[in-house]
């Protein structure tokens, strides 16, 4: 059998959207009525991929760590939260129109008087309009808002969580949940939408507390603000070296940037498509003293995946001031009360991670002329497809039993129709890592053939071992070639 | 050692709320600012319990079935969806005040002129006010709504999902997600809030299609509408018998009621606290031709957990009419186009399930004077607590390694402080099913003691087997007494 080499396939964001719609990953919300800009519905495969991304994020950031616990705050909360956080007074965009080319655009408040249109024309700043980015809502008699970030729910619950989970600094609080921003111009498929899901950690330390963890030995493209100013290219270097050379000044930032990069890399993203970029002083959010973005090379340019920002103690101090409640915690070493600092807040959009894993795993099989989605088995929506090679009652009954047993623990499908080649192709296209076929021999010998999506290799294995081996393969605990006897 | 028998402990909803706050399960949202009625934040244990409930629901209803696939629709969608569904015109409550006792109350439109106040007085219906239950929101230039139910996202995506997942009738589409209702009077802790999470299936059949599944052999209290009229008590009977006796008329309803009951029972809810109750004709929603509620005996009375409603083809027909798009599907047997019927829509609030599992697992240990939360291990927020019996460096280092290894796959904690008794009690109270202690012998023999939360029995086990045995215990694949050598 000819080995079928897979080639990475570059596709545009528009083509990805078409693929996602056709294959049941993502639909435009309200599609029946012409669609509703900035809102997306995840289909039967999209919901599984999205859930797997969230599950893996939670495992890496919460379950596997001793220093982070999770919460799940409400989307609508007390309006004073948004007053204290500063969102109510400053979370808005300025909408301007170019005097020359008449194109509308969105700028930041800090850019007024500074920036010009791409065509070189000046913006009509007299007629600039301010757009509140928070969605307003009336609850009972009060005006409230849909949260524009998950972070504030972490800050308002900080003291309660610290006490009931008995956390000691340094520690983090994680949250995954929906967030809403009334974007003027949602665009680029899932990249900028009005409703999205954030996976976020606020990581608290004592002021100037040392990093107790090792910085992983990993390389990445580093783009400092001074290199950006001088129009230099980013340089590939080790996170540790970037710290030694004082490009990254805070060891905590180096640590968290490396963690976040590693999360993507371990789940099968292409490390060459990532870089870290330092914010310029005028880009910094109102609460932040330093910020690095983990960026990804999208088909439409390098864009932010997550910001690793130093928020200081701005938020807790604000909530203390507005609520008149003591949010400080007792330092067990000195017995003094301290207000913790947020040294970093890894904050990632689920949908942006979704795009990364789609783009980096989009491959093409030259021989067989179809898409192969090389998703990491932990992320793949369907873990295995099972099909009888012959369409006969006795095979189908036999396959039924296998599917039923596997489905107790794994999301597998029973694929009944079409030629074997067609069934392989269909499953390659949606990222199913393993196909299990049942043939004449299976009935006599109680074994089946498993085929690996990426190498096309096939192995014969006893049915009694099938579930455990599949689980080990999915968890990356065993290599495919070691699960049994290679037949192709 | 004296066997410590656990007694179920009945507590009020108010006491449960206090317990949940103190132990880090649930906080009132915006608590710092006096709280925001109807909104709740889940703490570090609550988020794990909630996620486990959702995971088990998805596993039972989606992963383990061949006939149901999931989706994840947006919270805000095209406003025409709510016009077509009828919500925009009729999803409201009537707010009235009693002429006699002056108490305000919420009634349904259909009750105007029919119902009286509990005190016997008449309502002042002239001054009745109508309250829109949907939250309004402005998106760009348009007025839209936060979804008041997840179901419509299933109907609007019905055709796309059916096509991309190649589903054949009968089949279901499942969804888990946030829902919002502007309740006039949120109450009873998590029971009636303004923001909550639904786990829902819309199950589609051909008109009059037969049930191809067996009805489980389970008994439950059955409360028919005629028994309610005659003020009779509900009768305990088998779902099959209720169907035979034509109390439940539709086999699909009997099947789904039994499934939903079984889901609770298998996860450790007390079957004696459940009943099924038929809606009276005047209770039926505008779209429904028959409806049964699965009810639970809360401390504040029998209340609805989920409705198993026959929605007919109302929704799909409405969307077809309003969108002018063909939503019928081709019947592969007859090649004719048909509009599927929704024969049932199991729809359960995550928070209501949360309350059920809390109430039914709230036990009290007389000897040791503390709460034991007997949560099913699959639902328990923390799967095991690990602690060295002596507070010495060498034990702690040894324990560190064990915790690190377990945490790769399981949500375990390292509990360092307090007496052993205190540590057991602390973990019993939050539902941790297993405690693992490390003693002098552990260092020499590489083994540990596992203690079972419910029986207090202790078993000695090799560290090399610890993770696999814990996994099997959590999944219910092995009994505690069979994992090793019983020591207590």
């Amino acid at each position: 059998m000819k080995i079928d080499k897979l080639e990475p396939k570059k596709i545009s964001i528009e083509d990805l959207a078409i693929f996602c719609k056709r294959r049941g990953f993502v639909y435009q919300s309200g599609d029946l009525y012409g669609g509703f800009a900035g809102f997306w519905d995840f289909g039967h495969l999209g919901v599984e991929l999205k859930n797997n991304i969230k599950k893996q994020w939670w495992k890496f950031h919460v379950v596997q760590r001793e220093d982070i616990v999770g919460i799940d705050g409400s989307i609508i909360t007390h309006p004073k939260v948004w007053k204290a956080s500063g969102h109510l007074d400053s979370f808005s965009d300025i909408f301007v129109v170019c005097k020359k080319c008449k194109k509308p655009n969105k700028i930041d408040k800090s850019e007024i008087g500074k920036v010009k249109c791409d065509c070189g024309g000046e913006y009509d700043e007299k007629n600039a309009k301010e757009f509140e980015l928070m969605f307003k809502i009336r609850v009972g008699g009060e005006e409230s808002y849909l949260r524009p970030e998950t972070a504030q729910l972490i800050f308002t619950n900080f003291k309660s969580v610290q006490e009931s989970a008995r956390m000691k600094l340094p520690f983090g609080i994680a949250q995954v949940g929906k967030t809403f921003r009334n974007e003027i111009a949602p665009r680029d498929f899932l990249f900028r939408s009005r409703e999205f899901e954030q996976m976020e950690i606020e990581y608290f330390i004592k002021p100037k507390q040392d990093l107790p963890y090792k910085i992983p030995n990993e390389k990445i493209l580093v783009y400092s603000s001074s290199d950006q100013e001088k129009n230099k290219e980013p340089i590939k270097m080790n996170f540790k070296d970037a710290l030694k050379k004082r490009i990254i000044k805070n060891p905590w930032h180096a640590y968290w940037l490396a963690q976040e990069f590693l999360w993507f890399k371990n789940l099968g993203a292409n490390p060459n498509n990532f870089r870290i970029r330092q914010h310029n002083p005028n880009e910094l959010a109102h609460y932040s003293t330093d910020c690095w973005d983990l960026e990804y090379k999208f088909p439409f340019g390098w864009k932010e995946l997550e910001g690793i920002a130093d928020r200081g103690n701005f938020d807790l101090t604000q909530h203390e001031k507005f609520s008149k409640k003591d949010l400080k915690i007792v330092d067990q070493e000195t017995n003094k009360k301290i207000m913790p600092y947020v040294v970093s807040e890894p904050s990632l959009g689920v949908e942006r991670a979704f795009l990364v894993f789609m783009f980096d795993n989009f491959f093409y099989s030259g021989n067989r002329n179809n898409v192969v989605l090389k998703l990491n088995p932990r992320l793949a929506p369907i873990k295995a497809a099972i099909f009888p090679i012959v369409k006969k009652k006795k095979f189908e009954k036999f396959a039924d039993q296998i599917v039923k047993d596997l489905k107790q623990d794994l999301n597998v499908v029973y694929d009944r129709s079409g030629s074997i080649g067609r069934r392989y192709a269909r499953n390659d296209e949606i990222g199913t890592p393993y196909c299990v076929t049942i043939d004449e021999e299976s009935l006599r010998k109680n074994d089946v053939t498993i085929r690996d999506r990426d190498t096309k290799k096939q192995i014969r294995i006893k049915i009694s071992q099938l579930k455990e081996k599949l689980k080990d393969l999915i968890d990356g605990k065993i290599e495919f070639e070691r699960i049994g006897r290679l037949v192709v």
Side-chain angles (χ1 to χ4, degrees), chain A:
Chain A
M1 196 193 187
K2 206 172 142 191
I3 290 288
D4 179 19
K5 227 184 155 218
L6 301 181
E7 302 286 343
K9 187 175 161 79
K10 298 248 179 233
I11 56 165
S12 66
I13 189 90
E14 294 79 13
D15 284 345
L16 182 66
I18 292 166
F19 174 86
C20 283
K21 181 179 177 177
R22 195 178 340 131
R23 290 292 157 251
F25 282 92
V26 187
Y27 310 111
Q28 171 87 63
S29 192
D31 202 19
L32 277 186
Y33 299 99
F36 205 43
F39 299 97
W40 300 93
D41 296 342
F42 289 78
H44 77 292
L45 297 176
V47 62
E48 300 291 345
L49 175 53
K50 201 175 167 212
N51 285 347
N52 290 340
I53 290 171
K54 290 193 273 182
K55 187 180 155 192
Q56 291 299 329
W57 188 92
W58 196 262
K59 191 173 180 184
F60 183 84
H61 292 91
V62 181
V63 177
Q64 295 186 337
R65 299 184 66 109
E66 272 201 78
D67 60 343
I68 297 182
V69 292
I71 67 160
D72 182 16
S74 61
I75 288 169
I76 298 173
T77 188
H78 201 295
K80 279 195 185 154
V81 172
W82 309 110
K83 182 70 187 165
S85 70
H87 285 83
L88 202 46
D89 298 323
S90 70
F91 200 62
S92 54
D93 275 334
I94 307 294
F95 185 73
V96 285
V97 173
C98 173
K99 283 184 192 172
K100 197 171 150 195
C101 75
K102 308 294 175 200
K103 221 180 101 181
N105 213 341
K106 189 183 95 172
I107 61 170
D108 195 76
K109 269 185 188 168
S110 63
E111 295 175 313
I112 296 179
K114 286 180 198 157
V115 289
K116 289 188 176 182
C117 179
D118 287 344
C119 82
E122 280 182 12
Y123 287 126
D124 178 8
E125 284 169 358
K126 260 192 193 162
N127 293 310
K129 278 184 199 161
E130 191 169 349
F131 278 87
E132 175 65 65
L133 280 173
M134 288 202 290
F135 284 107
K136 253 182 222 163
I137 202 153
R138 281 206 80 81
V139 180
E142 289 193 82
E143 187 154 84
S144 191
Y145 305 88
L146 301 189
R147 64 181 180 198
E149 62 169 28
T150 50
Q152 294 306 320
L153 278 296
I154 294 178
F155 295 123
T156 52
N157 286 299
F158 166 77
K159 193 73 180 281
S160 309
V161 173
Q162 186 268 324
E163 281 169 8
S164 40
R166 303 183 299 135
M167 302 305 282
K168 284 173 199 152
L169 293 170
F171 74 89
I173 300 177
Q175 186 175 208
V176 173
K178 284 276 176 103
T179 307
F180 297 80
R181 293 183 188 172
N182 202 355
E183 295 283 350
I184 302 169
R187 63 182 177 281
D188 293 326
F189 187 33
L190 300 175
F191 183 79
R192 189 169 303 280
S193 49
R194 286 166 165 160
E195 172 177 339
F196 56 103
E197 207 158 359
Q198 270 185 320
M199 306 186 282
E200 183 166 50
I201 293 163
E202 297 295 325
Y203 200 89
F204 302 94
I205 61 167
K206 294 183 209 175
K208 294 182 184 165
Q209 188 163 23
D210 286 339
L211 175 76
Y213 306 115
K214 273 188 199 161
I215 293 167
N217 189 18
E218 291 285 338
K219 275 187 178 178
I220 196 169
L221 278 175
V222 177
Y223 205 15
S224 69
S225 62
S226 76
D227 280 354
Q228 292 166 55
E229 246 173 70
K230 293 174 202 154
N231 272 320
K232 283 187 185 173
E233 287 295 305
I235 305 157
K236 194 158 220 168
M237 67 172 89
N238 204 299
F239 285 95
K240 286 179 192 170
D241 294 333
L243 189 64
K244 261 187 216 151
K245 290 181 185 166
R246 304 272 303 147
I247 298 168
I248 303 175
K249 290 188 187 62
N250 190 329
W252 285 100
H253 287 179
Y255 172 76
W256 276 112
L257 287 164
Q259 289 300 315
E260 295 309 287
F261 171 66
L262 262 180
W263 181 76
F264 274 106
K265 190 181 154 190
N266 291 346
L267 285 171
N270 180 352
N272 299 319
N273 289 336
F274 289 78
R275 75 178 184 191
I276 56 171
R277 188 184 69 82
Q278 191 174 25
H279 278 209
N280 299 312
N282 62 3
E283 276 181 283
L284 290 174
H286 59 93
Y287 45 71
S288 183
T289 58
D290 192 17
C291 184
W292 284 82
D293 282 348
L294 180 67
E295 293 192 333
Y296 176 81
K297 199 176 176 179
F298 284 95
F300 44 96
W302 285 98
K303 299 284 174 188
E304 179 196 340
L305 285 178
E306 46 185 318
I308 306 291
D310 182 348
R311 274 178 101 125
N313 62 12
F314 174 84
D315 300 271
L316 289 178
T317 306
Q318 283 291 101
H319 286 299
E320 193 170 80
K321 199 172 119 189
F322 278 76
S323 70
K324 299 192 176 67
K325 277 172 193 153
D326 184 4
L327 298 183
K328 294 180 200 74
I329 61 177
V330 177
D331 179 0
Q332 301 210 318
E333 281 170 25
T334 62
N335 264 330
K336 279 187 187 158
K337 280 202 161 185
I338 50 169
M339 182 62 93
Y341 269 62
V342 171
V343 73
S344 83
E345 49 159 8
S347 164
L348 172 65
V350 178
E351 291 82 356
R352 292 191 182 182
F354 188 104
L355 292 177
V356 166
F357 292 119
M358 278 295 198
F359 280 125
D360 280 355
N361 291 301
F362 216 90
F363 280 70
Y364 186 75
S365 145
N367 298 357
R368 284 169 303 109
N369 208 22
N370 70 305
V371 170
V372 179
L373 207 57
K374 280 181 64 174
L375 290 171
N376 181 298
R378 281 173 289 175
L379 296 181
I382 309 288
K383 305 306 184 191
I386 288 88
F387 35 88
I389 233 162
V390 197
K391 214 174 175 177
K392 275 186 189 164
K393 262 266 158 72
K394 63 174 179 179
F395 291 99
E396 287 179 359
K397 249 184 142 172
F398 196 81
D400 255 347
Q401 269 313 312
I402 295 173
V403 171
K404 214 172 175 179
D405 178 50
L406 291 176
K407 265 184 152 315
Q408 290 308 305
D409 299 292
L410 296 170
N411 200 358
V412 304
V413 293
Y414 186 173
D415 196 342
R416 285 173 175 80
S417 64
S419 70
I420 293 301
R422 182 74 205 97
R423 282 186 263 184
Y424 279 146
R426 187 153 60 207
N427 283 290
D428 287 347
E429 205 171 9
I430 61 170
T432 307
Y434 307 106
C435 286
V436 176
T437 50
I438 289 140
D439 55 22
E440 291 275 0
E441 223 182 286
S442 301
L443 275 71
R444 289 197 311 273
K445 296 192 178 169
N446 263 301
D447 59 7
V448 291
T449 304
I450 308 187
R451 165 194 176 265
D452 180 59
R453 175 196 62 202
D454 303 339
T455 62
K456 313 301 169 207
K457 286 178 181 167
Q458 299 189 13
I459 279 178
R460 202 80 191 171
I461 185 178
K462 287 281 167 207
I463 291 167
S464 58
Q465 293 196 313
L466 182 60
K467 200 200 278 186
E468 286 317 307
K469 295 293 180 195
L470 275 175
K471 279 188 184 173
D472 286 346
L473 284 170
I474 293 159
D475 289 343
K477 287 182 179 164
I478 193 170
E479 276 172 51
F480 184 73
E481 287 173 39
R482 298 185 57 186
I483 62 165
R485 182 171 54 87
L486 204 65
V487 286
V488 180

